[in-house]
Amino acid sequence: MADDKKLTTRAADFSAWYNEVVLRSELADYSPVRGCMVIRPNGYGIWERMQRQLDDMFKATGHQNAYFPLLIPESFLQKEAEHVEGFAPEAAVVTHGGGKKLDEPLIIRPTSETIIYSMFAKWVQSYRDLPLLINQWANVVRWEMRTRLFLRTTEFLWQEGHTAHVTHDEAEEEARKMLGVYRDFMEGYIAMPVVTGQKTEAEKFAGALRTYSCEAMMQDNKALQAGTSHNLGQNFAKAFELKFQSESGSTEFAWNTSWGVSTRMVGGLVMTHGDDNGLRVPPLLAPIELVIVPIYKTDEERAAVLEAAQRIVRSLTEWAGRGTERIRVHIDSREGIKPGAKYYEWELRGIPLRLELGPRDLASNQGVLVRRDTRVKRPISLGTIGEDVSDTLSVMQRDMLAAALDRREANSVRERISYDHFRQLMDGQGGFVYAGWCGDPACESQIKEDTKATIRCLPDEEFRSADAPTSCLKCGRGATSEALWAKAY
RNA sequence: CGGGACGUAGCGCAGCCCGGUAGCGCACCUGAAUGGGGUUCAGGGGGUCGCGGGUUCAAAUCCCGCCGUCCCGACCA
């Protein structure tokens, strides 16, 4: 496994620290193909748990899974003007098949609006066929200039929801509802607090009427767009003739939404919770919640400790205090590796809890439980280990969210500051700045040019300042809205 | 695509300036001891020196070309 004993510290260089944690905790590796990563079992285990939870949430809100083709005819992409402009530059194109040049090139999907709405058009005739609520788990390809493990890879795994509705308001409600589902998941499972809000015209999805997003703050104070939800209006319905007959007999175009989250969330997890000892995985997403490290000298002790460890595993997996969701536990019984080396290894991989178990413990029917987030050690009785472990995991899940929230608020600026002060801030420590905006795209792009900061979103009411800003951060004219400014990934 | 750095064992690097038997640390394999926070000793395996060409008696080293990676910009879930 890892060769160097210590991790580069975050303070020195966040990027180097991030890459090192991802590689050394065995979440992912570089692949032979430019910009594509290999997701290793440790990373895929976390993604799998994210998938399972989100999938349950999508089903609970009435959605069904389906699957659409990887290859999309080039002409499909061109049917929606803004969409092709946004995605053509980063398209990967298949030009040959069966040894012959294709009449029409095929695009490897960068997103599936076009192919999906072309099918929706066949499936929908009447208002009675609506709403149509579909989700797809898939891989997509976007040929980005620069890539970064999990955050921006050429190929990535994601989920894209696509729906069709009778009215604008119903589509709007759907887009909003799914944004809320994302927020619940990110805060409840990744323990990563987010600010929700609407994207500006400059930042919205190519082809959307309106885009909403979840914005999280990483430990270097930069923003990560962790999920988006779009009200597509009738743009794609018109491009693909997705029409239906209304109750009154008229022919109408449907209203669509699309929404997605990706393997980028794994990167967000690392940059939200990692520390100088490696990764920290929130318990609800950890493939293994508790690792037992046996300690022994003699063969007899080894036999006794391993036997006790197996008893604990049985009692934990049979413990029904969490209903059908059993505690995920692993015994590290590898020989020839000292316990201390195992501690470091499991800490690097971010496993939430460790149980140290040796002859001294067995004598008193206890073990030493160590939390990954705080690294605090505590003796626990083996008699009530199910309750104890389960409770500790719940506390950790809450504590990790609270810590991330505290950090975000400590690095957010809500006082009205001058543009000079803002530039200084963005040049130095960064962070989230809430400030007025006149609504003029010229101010928006000038600020981006000056500072590299962008409007992450126009925050939803819950996140807005108590005293609404009255003037624009840049030009001083009257503010039409409050904007969240930050440098972003 | 512009600016910078780099490519030598699985990983991290030295060697290159000044050409002459390819090295070090970690990891890996074998054996013994060790074992409550990164064990120790002994032995061992593993390399087309990114690729192609040139100069030379001789190239990891000098010259030319190409490819790739990373960092900084423009693009982005």
Side-chain angles (χ1 to χ4, degrees):
Chain A
M1 134 130 296
D3 13 297
D4 298 320
K5 301 275 178 188
K6 283 181 182 159
L7 276 169
T8 319
T9 67
R10 233 168 324 153
D13 183 348
F14 193 72
S15 291
W17 167 85
Y18 174 79
N19 282 333
E20 212 163 330
V21 169
V22 169
L23 293 172
R24 285 178 51 189
S25 64
E26 300 186 350
L27 295 180
D29 204 350
Y30 294 110
S31 82
V33 182
R34 193 209 88 110
C36 294
M37 68 170 170
V38 175
I39 305 178
R40 302 183 66 176
N42 194 31
Y44 202 83
I46 293 170
W47 173 241
E48 254 176 342
R49 294 196 60 80
M50 289 180 168
Q51 275 187 296
R52 191 180 315 161
Q53 181 55 37
L54 284 165
D55 204 60
D56 284 350
M57 293 168 100
F58 299 154
K59 302 265 169 64
T61 42
H63 303 84
Q64 292 181 297
N65 284 326
Y67 188 77
F68 298 83
L70 170 72
L71 299 173
I72 298 175
E74 192 178 44
S75 58
F76 277 37
L77 208 62
Q78 287 160 353
K79 287 189 182 179
E80 211 290 328
E82 278 185 32
H83 194 65
V84 67
E85 202 180 312
F87 284 102
E90 56 193 43
V93 186
V94 176
T95 56
H96 288 72
K100 283 182 293 197
K101 188 168 188 296
L102 301 174
D103 293 339
E104 182 184 352
L106 298 169
I107 309 292
I108 301 177
R109 61 182 166 216
T111 179
S112 304
E113 274 77 8
T114 57
I115 189 87
I116 288 180
Y117 298 132
S118 75
M119 296 309 296
F120 276 19
K122 290 176 67 174
W123 298 343
V124 172
Q125 271 95 47
S126 153
Y127 72 95
R128 290 198 176 90
D129 297 326
L130 299 174
L132 186 50
L133 308 173
I134 296 291
N135 177 63
Q136 152 166 277
W137 289 97
N139 57 340
V140 289
V141 168
R142 298 181 187 177
W143 214 268
E144 304 286 358
M145 293 291 166
R146 272 186 75 203
T147 61
R148 199 148 141 65
L149 294 169
F150 284 113
L151 299 187
R152 196 178 302 103
T153 44
T154 300
E155 177 188 10
F156 56 95
L157 305 181
W158 78 345
Q159 143 293 301
E160 45 181 326
H162 293 273
T163 66
H165 306 263
V166 171
T167 65
H168 164 274
D169 289 358
E170 199 184 304
E172 179 69 12
E173 190 189 332
E174 166 78 4
R176 275 297 188 176
K177 182 201 289 173
M178 298 321 287
L179 188 75
V181 166
Y182 287 159
R183 181 186 175 188
D184 291 345
F185 173 75
M186 289 169 192
E187 301 191 335
Y189 287 79
I190 312 180
M192 179 175 76
V194 295
V195 175
T196 60
Q198 187 178 340
K199 288 289 188 183
T200 63
E201 279 299 301
E203 299 276 333
K204 73 168 195 191
F205 176 77
L209 191 62
R210 281 188 288 279
T211 291
Y212 303 103
S213 75
C214 295
E215 301 286 333
M217 185 194 280
M218 304 294 101
Q219 289 186 71
D220 59 353
N221 291 347
K222 283 169 81 174
L224 183 74
Q225 181 174 305
T228 49
S229 181
H230 317 288
N231 181 340
L232 300 174
Q234 293 176 305
N235 294 343
F236 287 91
K238 285 175 179 164
F240 290 91
E241 307 234 313
L242 169 48
K243 293 182 288 196
F244 66 93
Q245 194 163 20
S246 73
E247 204 168 354
S248 64
S250 60
T251 300
E252 311 275 352
F253 288 110
W255 298 80
N256 298 115
T257 79
S258 71
W259 26 276
V261 292
S262 70
T263 38
R264 167 177 274 194
M265 290 189 298
V266 178
L269 187 161
V270 175
M271 292 196 297
T272 299
H273 298 301
D275 65 15
D276 288 347
N277 297 304
L279 185 58
R280 299 191 303 171
V281 185
L284 287 172
L285 295 178
I288 298 171
E289 294 167 288
L290 171 73
V291 63
I292 300 176
V293 178
I295 297 157
Y296 48 81
K297 289 182 190 154
T298 62
D299 282 351
E300 298 81 68
E301 283 177 349
R302 176 168 190 272
V305 171
L306 284 180
E307 207 265 329
Q310 256 135 29
R311 265 203 319 274
I312 292 169
V313 169
R314 263 200 308 280
S315 81
L316 284 178
T317 49
E318 283 165 11
W319 185 73
R322 291 205 310 204
T324 52
E325 181 74 17
R326 299 304 161 91
I327 292 170
R328 301 180 293 283
V329 55
H330 172 75
I331 305 175
D332 186 352
S333 56
R334 290 175 297 172
E335 283 196 77
I337 301 173
K338 290 181 73 166
K342 292 180 180 178
Y343 300 165
Y344 277 88
E345 195 174 309
W346 291 110
E347 281 176 5
L348 181 59
R349 294 164 68 97
I351 303 308
L353 285 177
R354 174 175 80 237
L355 184 71
E356 302 174 4
L357 197 66
R360 290 211 297 268
D361 301 306
L362 292 190
S364 51
N365 195 40
Q366 64 170 33
V368 176
L369 191 69
V370 188
R371 278 174 63 157
R372 172 63 183 89
D373 58 338
T374 58
R375 297 178 93 210
V376 169
K377 295 187 177 197
R378 171 169 70 89
I380 60 160
S381 163
L382 297 183
T384 52
I385 189 168
E387 291 85 337
D388 212 333
V389 165
S390 174
D391 290 349
T392 307
L393 290 169
S394 302
V395 169
M396 286 177 70
Q397 185 76 36
R398 277 202 302 278
D399 286 356
M400 288 176 78
L401 175 62
L405 192 58
D406 286 349
R407 180 173 51 73
R408 185 187 76 189
E409 291 309 301
N411 291 292
S412 294
V413 174
R414 288 184 176 277
E415 302 84 62
R416 303 282 93 91
I417 58 174
S418 70
Y419 190 53
D420 277 348
H421 186 178
F422 175 76
R423 290 183 71 157
Q424 264 171 33
L425 207 60
M426 287 302 145
D427 203 36
Q429 65 187 50
F432 282 8
V433 174
Y434 294 80
W437 180 46
C438 61
D440 188 344
C443 281
E444 186 184 13
S445 66
Q446 186 60 49
I447 290 179
K448 184 174 181 180
E449 199 177 306
D450 290 348
T451 65
K452 288 179 208 153
T454 50
I455 297 180
R456 299 321 304 154
C457 67
L458 308 177
D460 290 335
E461 193 168 359
E462 163 183 359
F463 299 99
R464 283 180 222 147
S465 307
D467 56 326
T470 53
S471 60
C472 177
L473 171 66
K474 176 73 181 69
C475 67
R477 285 178 289 177
T480 55
S481 51
E482 180 169 15
L484 167 56
W485 297 87
K487 287 204 268 190
Y489 275 98

